[in-house]
Amino acid sequence: MQLRYSFRLYPDAVQRAALGRAFGCSRVVFNDAVRAREEARKAGEAFPTAGELSRTLITQAKRTPERAWLGEVSMAMLQQSLRDVEAAYRSFFASLKGTRKGPRVGAPRFKSRKDARQSVRFAANARWKITDTGRLKLPKIGEVKVKWSRALPVTPSSVTVIKDAAGRHFASFVIDTDPAADQARMPESDRTVGIDLGLTHFAVLSDGSKIDSPRFLRRAEKKLKKAQRELCRKQKGSKNRDKARLKVARAHAEVADARREFHHQLSTRLISENQGIAVEDLSVAGLARTRLAKSVRDAGWASFISMLEYKAQRYGRTLVKIGRFEPTSQTCSTCGVKDGPKPLHVREWTCRACGTLHDRDHNAAINVKVAAGLAVSACGAPLRPGAIPAQREETGSHGFPTGHRAA
């Protein structure tokens, strides 16, 4: 299973300038490759191969006055941009044919120097390495300081240097994990749990536990509005506007980082304590078109379920997602009688058949667990992890014991 481990970078002024050149050169080669492909398509010709693009857009282009500055960066990094274009077109054609899983993707588009996210990738053949002092040595950039927040389980195969909208730099390492070693780190457990996600409480478990919703965006709204007002008052193209834009981006980054950390800690705790987990397959995109859109986006249910998926696969746990149309809030968990739909303001109700008083969310969590079949599995039936596709999101090992730091 492939995962990404992200670490904060602290380049000095010279290294920031070198990274800026690397971002620009990588972006130009990517755009040139997309343009060459589009021109061939419009002319009705065959797409140029990767070798032809490398010879034309890199080797020959560096000898011209217009592209001589391509020689200031690593050659392997530029070739990686061409491979990224190839991968983007393969995904696009596979999506057209219907052989690619997930939502449909469009054709590759041109990158802009004004994009909020700039990145450059260094493969295994790019001669980068982690030094003995814990710094990341990149070709034609130098040894960049890294903040090692956790250990790398194995030697990474590639690294992507990313600059976000807030001006921060990150190193994203790709690693191949060992399933047997990961599962051995997890404590043995025969517990199962059903989870009902909501807005009043972020999650209510079938055992009665309730996790409050932090509401990171709601708590930071006053600060965000003030920063946005200051940005709107600045003259376009001025340096003060750039400073105000960075202030807005950093405020949003604080909210996103806090939400991501909360999701990581909660998902790790649930995975470590339970062998089987059941959740609802919520339509987040549909709920985001209602009057509760801001609160739904603030909760980040899709990101949380995605973390549960890849962590369940990695550590040998079982994650079951039940259908979104399952009447978990309408069914009595005691007698199984369907009592009918209820408005959102009704948080407690009494079953007409058996007279049991139910907490709406706790009752739904129990029904989620029963609908997933985990209530029977808890009595002794074996639980096996299902086939879940590997996630490509930024991941971490929060809460698990690690060895020495990479430094």
Side-chain angles (χ1 to χ4, degrees):
M1 181 178 180
Q2 283 192 336
L3 295 175
R4 287 186 177 272
Y5 275 59
S6 182
F7 301 91
R8 181 77 181 272
L9 295 180
Y10 293 92
D12 55 29
V14 177
Q15 292 169 347
R16 284 197 297 269
L19 285 172
R21 288 192 297 269
F23 294 144
C25 293
S26 176
R27 182 178 62 249
V28 166
V29 171
F30 184 95
N31 291 343
D32 288 346
V34 173
R35 187 178 297 108
R37 289 248 180 162
E38 287 300 308
E39 291 176 353
R41 182 186 63 83
K42 293 178 180 179
E45 302 173 353
F47 279 177
T49 63
E52 294 173 350
L53 291 176
S54 177
R55 182 171 58 256
T56 305
L57 302 180
I58 300 178
T59 305
Q60 296 178 2
K62 289 194 296 185
R63 301 170 184 169
T64 62
E66 295 81 7
R67 292 285 192 267
W69 33 265
L70 289 177
E72 299 177 3
V73 298
S74 171
M75 178 74 170
M77 181 198 69
L78 301 180
Q79 291 176 341
Q80 183 62 45
S81 295
L82 298 180
R83 286 191 287 269
D84 291 341
V85 174
E86 289 286 332
Y89 271 104
R90 283 197 301 269
S91 298
F92 170 58
F93 292 135
S95 181
L96 288 179
K97 296 177 182 178
T99 58
R100 182 183 183 273
K101 296 181 180 180
R104 296 187 62 177
V105 296
R109 296 180 295 179
F110 294 115
K111 294 182 178 180
S112 172
R113 63 189 300 179
K114 296 182 180 180
D115 288 343
R117 183 182 184 274
Q118 302 286 339
S119 64
V120 61
R121 185 173 304 168
F122 297 89
N125 61 348
R127 292 182 297 180
W128 62 272
K129 68 175 183 178
I130 300 174
T131 63
D132 297 335
T133 58
R135 290 179 176 256
L136 178 62
K137 185 176 182 180
L138 301 172
K140 296 192 176 181
I141 295 176
E143 297 182 1
V144 186
K145 182 181 177 182
V146 185
K147 177 65 175 180
W148 298 105
S149 56
R150 55 189 180 273
L152 286 171
V154 294
T155 303
S157 58
S158 67
V159 61
T160 302
V161 180
I162 303 168
K163 181 182 178 183
D164 65 1
R168 304 177 301 177
H169 292 81
F170 295 90
S172 177
F173 297 94
V174 176
I175 65 168
D176 291 305
T177 62
D178 183 9
D182 290 335
Q183 295 179 20
R185 296 166 56 192
M186 297 300 296
E188 294 291 337
S189 176
D190 58 354
R191 295 177 55 187
T192 57
V193 67
I195 304 175
D196 179 67
L197 300 175
L199 297 178
T200 305
H201 294 91
F202 178 79
V204 177
L205 309 185
S206 57
D207 60 4
S209 304
K210 295 185 177 182
I211 294 98
D212 291 332
S213 180
R215 295 185 177 91
F216 296 105
L217 179 61
R218 296 288 187 180
R219 285 172 12 198
E221 269 187 323
K222 186 176 180 180
K223 179 180 179 181
L224 291 171
K225 288 179 180 178
K226 181 180 178 182
Q228 190 65 50
R229 283 197 301 267
E230 293 176 356
L231 174 62
C232 293
R233 292 167 182 160
K234 299 296 185 292
Q235 183 178 359
K236 292 185 177 181
S238 65
K239 291 186 177 180
N240 284 335
R241 185 177 177 85
D242 292 338
K243 295 178 183 178
R245 185 197 60 79
L246 277 178
K247 188 175 181 180
V248 172
R250 286 167 182 163
H252 279 286
E254 289 179 4
V255 174
D257 291 346
R259 182 187 297 115
R260 188 182 304 111
E261 181 67 16
F262 169 73
H263 288 166
H264 269 301
Q265 291 183 358
L266 179 58
S267 59
T268 297
R269 180 168 68 86
L270 292 174
I271 289 293
S272 61
E273 293 177 354
N274 301 278
Q275 176 64 34
I277 299 175
V279 294
E280 286 184 285
D281 185 16
L282 299 174
S283 176
V284 178
L287 292 171
R289 292 193 292 267
T290 65
R291 62 184 178 86
L292 301 173
K294 184 179 289 189
S295 297
V296 170
R297 293 298 189 187
D298 190 14
W301 294 330
S303 175
F304 175 70
I305 293 177
S306 176
M307 291 181 185
L308 286 177
E309 284 182 341
Y310 82 78
K311 290 181 181 180
Q313 182 191 14
R314 180 180 182 184
Y315 297 107
R317 303 305 200 191
T318 299
L319 178 69
V320 181
K321 292 196 291 185
I322 68 170
R324 64 189 62 169
F325 299 109
E326 191 74 24
T328 56
S329 297
Q330 306 175 22
T331 306
C332 174
S333 59
T334 303
C335 63
V337 174
K338 185 176 178 181
D339 201 60
K342 301 165 185 63
L344 288 178
H345 69 272
V346 176
R347 308 316 302 173
E348 291 185 352
W349 57 279
T350 303
C351 178
R352 299 174 185 176
C354 64
T356 305
L357 177 63
H358 291 294
D359 177 272
R360 181 193 184 106
D361 298 329
H362 183 210
N363 177 74
I366 297 175
N367 287 331
V368 168
K369 179 179 177 180
V370 174
L374 297 183
V376 177
S377 299
C379 298
L383 287 172
R384 296 183 180 179
I388 303 173
Q391 300 298 312
R392 299 179 64 183
E393 302 294 331
E394 299 294 329
T395 63
S397 57
H398 306 275
F400 293 117
T402 58
H404 298 291
R405 300 297 185 190

